[in-house]
């Protein structure tokens, strides 16, 4: 068992319990207890006791829309379509096994260092990503970049093969879903086949939808319908489907998302950087749609820090709607934890007995959390969302396994990951 004592336990459970000087006990891959005061015990010889004095104990964050990144700081001035054509697609066509493995390890490393315990990663070469996720210890839902054959990306057969070999690996922490790159590289027939494959495998779907105005125009021209209408008619949407971005949803499309129980991954910083616009999240929440948060990709938002995404998610809507009451800190934290877990059907995202033991410790003994009044949960939520960034994360635990402690990665050699990721980027540049 791991016994975490003396911390401020922010459970994000249904009642939103906060325990000052509380405890969290992890037994194997599950949370055995979370509550007030010291753990009444018994603590056995061999149990690990973590003194969390000065720390906030939180459920690990869930990055609901994620791509392993082989590069960043490239084509930073281009809009979405052009950046895809000029860098992203060429780079992911140039991947070899080693490059994919180390790019994934570097991406997951940054997430772990920022307190992310689950990534919903759409990329290529899933067996190599699965090995990286397994070695570093993160929880990963992987899907392929499936597109029509002429685009030379992945096929549904690739995705099925990945499911057969990777799903359930890493002691069950690694899952495979069916991925669809986006509608401009797809067709209604491909979406129907993707739904049939997902149903056949009993797994979920991950798709980019309504990301840019150019995508909406492309869909209207080719299919005479908006992207979500095409996806709805093809049967792609549903409670097992995560649709990323959804920036340009009409009222009808919001209703279709609601009707099908589709989950939305909101990626405000990526949408802003690529000049794609601001999603109508207030309307989606009002309609009862489940919305989680994603960073998207280091190519499009330059880091994997979900703390930054939380802050951005709040500020962008306050600015756009001229309304400071929107997206208050506890609600934003819930989007990055509970909502992401619900979208993936995971028992994570909260510190409650029986939930998966995905836990982070955030150090408050620094200027980001100063001043902080004793026992003030509102101020603590505010600091987490508006003042802190991922560098305040001290410890990251997934499935009861400590991946990072005192900001030191325990599962892999961090300098080696950085060296190999740089080498992989150089190989990709050579090939494109
Ligand atoms: Zn994306």
């Amino acid at each position: 068992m791991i016994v975490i004592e003396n911390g401020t336990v922010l459970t994000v459970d249904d009642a939103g319990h906060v325990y000052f000087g509380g405890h969290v006990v992890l037994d194997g891959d599950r949370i055995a207890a979370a509550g007030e005061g010291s753990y009444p015990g018994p603590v056995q010889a061999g149990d690990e006791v973590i003194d969390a004095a000065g720390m906030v104990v939180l459920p690990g964050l869930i990055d609901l829309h994620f791509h392993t990144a082989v590069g960043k700081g490239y084509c930073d001035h281009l809009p979405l379509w052009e950046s895809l054509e000029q860098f992203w697609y060429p780079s992911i066509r140039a991947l070899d096994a080693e490059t994919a493995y180390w790019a994934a390890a570097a991406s997951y490393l940054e997430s772990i260092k920022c307190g992310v315990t689950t990534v919903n990663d759409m990329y290529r070469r899933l067996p190599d990503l699965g090995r990286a996720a397994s070695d570093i210890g993160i929880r990963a839902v992987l899907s392929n970049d499936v597109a029509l054959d002429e685009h030379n990306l992945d096929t549904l057969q690739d995705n099925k093969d990945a499911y057969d070999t990777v799903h359930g690996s890493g002691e069950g922490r690694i899952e495979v879903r069916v991925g669809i790159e986006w509608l401009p590289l797809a067709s209604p027939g491909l979406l129907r086949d993707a739904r049939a494959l997902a149903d056949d495998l009993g797994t979920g779907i991950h798709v980019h939808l309504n990301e840019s105005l150019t995508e909406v125009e492309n869909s209207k021209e080719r299919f005479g319908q908006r992207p979500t209408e095409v996806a709805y008619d093809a049967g792609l949407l549903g409670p097992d489907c995560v649709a990323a971005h959804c920036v340009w949803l009409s009222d009808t499309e919001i209703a279709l998302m609601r009707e099908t129980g589709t989950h939305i991954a909101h990626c405000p910083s990526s949408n802003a950087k690529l000049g794609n616009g601001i999603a109508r999240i207030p309307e989606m929440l009002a309609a009862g749609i489940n919305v989680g948060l994603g960073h998207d990709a280091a190519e499009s938002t330059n880091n994997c820090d979900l703390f930054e995404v939380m802050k951005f998610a709040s500020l962008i809507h306050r600015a756009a709607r001229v309304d400071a009451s929107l997206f208050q800190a506890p609600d934003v934290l819930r989007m990055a934890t509970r909502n992401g877990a619900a979208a993936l059907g995971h028992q994570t995202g909260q510190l409650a007995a029986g939930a998966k033991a995905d836990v982070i410790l955030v150090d408050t003994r620094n200027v980001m959390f100063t001043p902080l009044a004793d026992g003030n949960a509102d101020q603590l939520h505010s600091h987490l969302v508006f003042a802190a960034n991922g560098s305040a994360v001290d410890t990251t635990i997934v499935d009861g396994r400590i991946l990072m402690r005192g900001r030191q990665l325990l599962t892999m050699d961090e300098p080696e990951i950085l060296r190999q990721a740089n080498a992989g980027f150089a190989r990709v540049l050579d090939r494109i």
Side-chain angles (χ1 to χ4, degrees), residues 20 27 34 36 38 76 82 137 141 146 155 158 190 223 249 258 284 306 324 341 343 409 416:
F20 292 94
D27 188 4
E36 282 180 328
S38 289
D76 269 344
E82 289 76 2
V141 180
V146 174
T155 64
D158 294 327
L190 184 65
F223 314 119
L249 292 189
R258 170 72 181 123
M284 296 178 204
L306 216 61
L409 185 72
E416 173 74 357

Side-chain angles (χ1 to χ4, degrees), residues 8 18 20 364 369-381 383:
T8 298
V18 179
F20 292 94
T364 64
F369 285 86
T370 304
L372 176 61
D374 281 345
N376 189 329
D378 290 342
Q379 192 183 24
L380 193 57
H381 278 100
H383 286 356

